[in-house]
């Protein structure tokens, strides 16, 4: 039995949640901030059998992997529009930091 | 030394909190949602000596065990009252999911 | 690789956060309450190499150690001011409760 702790960006949190439920993993979600990833993330706690750890990790990777995304930059307020053409820029979004911890006992009351 | 992580329903959270304090266990509480239990739960982190793990588990079981409860069902809004008699229904409430993890070091600064 | 879980008072949380960033530790922060310390605390999750655990612990100690602080007591509302001279009183603030847990796997997607 393992405890998998995954810190993922908020924008991937719902998709991961649904994917976990569909795959019969039970997760507890905690609102968290900062650090491993940019502010605004969710910490998932998932208890699982040793045998299921690889498929859980694959599921987290599939739903939360860091990837580049084109975003429209914020135009300067009241700026000279002629002097500033807001090309979309590529930013990295997503990403997950995952820890697998040993569990000595698991109970369900 | 062990770290006991217990996810319990919000309705049992205060009672467990008080029981832990009375038994001299120190717990940190985190608001959490979903997964192991229905949405709206509390995650307790409790550090304790190995010898006290059994009594801590018993205390969690005593205060959070899943049990059936009669609840009045919600009447359908503006429905035909004659056609729908709201008998109380039995639902399972409570329940705790508990993990016991090994700790390599404990410090108090 | 270790997971260091530190519960610290809210008043020390920002200072610790900055110190961790400066020392290149990545932390995830969770709002927490009660238990180990007086209500209103922050739980830090920090993953780190074994070699860096001592300097991480020292950094937590330096920024969060329990210490005495003089605080102005609250004057009784509408009380007889002559009968009550509000000398500052010394209270203990800060303090950190820290757990070091083993990690079996670490992944960054
Ligand atoms: Ni990254
Ligand atoms: Ni259950
Ligand atoms: Ni103390």
């Amino acid at each position: 039995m393992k405890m998998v702790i995954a810190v993922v960006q908020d924008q991937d949190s719902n998709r991961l949640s649904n994917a976990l439920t569909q795959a019969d993993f039970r997760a507890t979600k905690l609102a968290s901030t900062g650090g491993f990833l940019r502010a605004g993330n969710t910490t998932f706690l998932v208890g699982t059998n040793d045998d299921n750890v690889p498929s859980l990790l694959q599921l987290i990777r599939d739903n939360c992997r860091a990837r580049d995304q084109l975003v429209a930059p914020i135009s300067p307020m009241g700026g000279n529009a002629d002097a500033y053409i807001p090309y979309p820029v590529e930013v990295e979004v997503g990403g997950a930091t995952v820890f697998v911890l040993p569990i000595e006992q698991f109970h369900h009351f």
Side-chain angles (χ1 to χ4, degrees), chain A:
Chain A
M1 190 92 194
K2 302 295 180 220
M3 162 76 79
V4 174
I5 300 178
V7 184
V8 311
Q9 279 201 349
D10 280 342
Q11 66 186 106
D12 295 336
S13 173
N14 275 340
R15 189 175 48 224
L16 177 59
S17 233
N18 293 335
L20 289 171
T21 301
Q22 280 189 352
D24 266 329
F25 288 109
R26 302 300 174 85
T28 292
K29 290 179 280 183
L30 304 153
S32 52
T33 55
F36 293 127
L37 303 165
R38 288 173 220 87
N41 47 52
T42 303
T43 296
F44 286 76
L45 306 182
V46 191
T48 188
N49 293 325
D50 293 30
D51 288 351
N52 291 327
V53 169
S55 66
L56 173 54
L57 294 175
Q58 186 61 45
L59 199 147
I60 296 169
R61 185 205 303 263
D62 289 346
N63 285 281
C64 306
R65 187 172 24 205
R67 67 269 180 194
D68 290 326
Q69 197 172 66
L70 286 176
V71 298
I74 313 284
S75 297
M77 288 279 291
N80 180 348
D82 296 335
Y84 181 79
I85 302 165
Y87 285 109
V89 290
E90 227 176 36
V91 295
E92 196 189 90
V93 297
T97 302
V98 185
F99 303 94
V100 180
L101 284 75
I103 289 177
E104 296 189 351
Q105 296 180 47
F106 169 75
H107 300 279
H108 186 76
F109 299 137

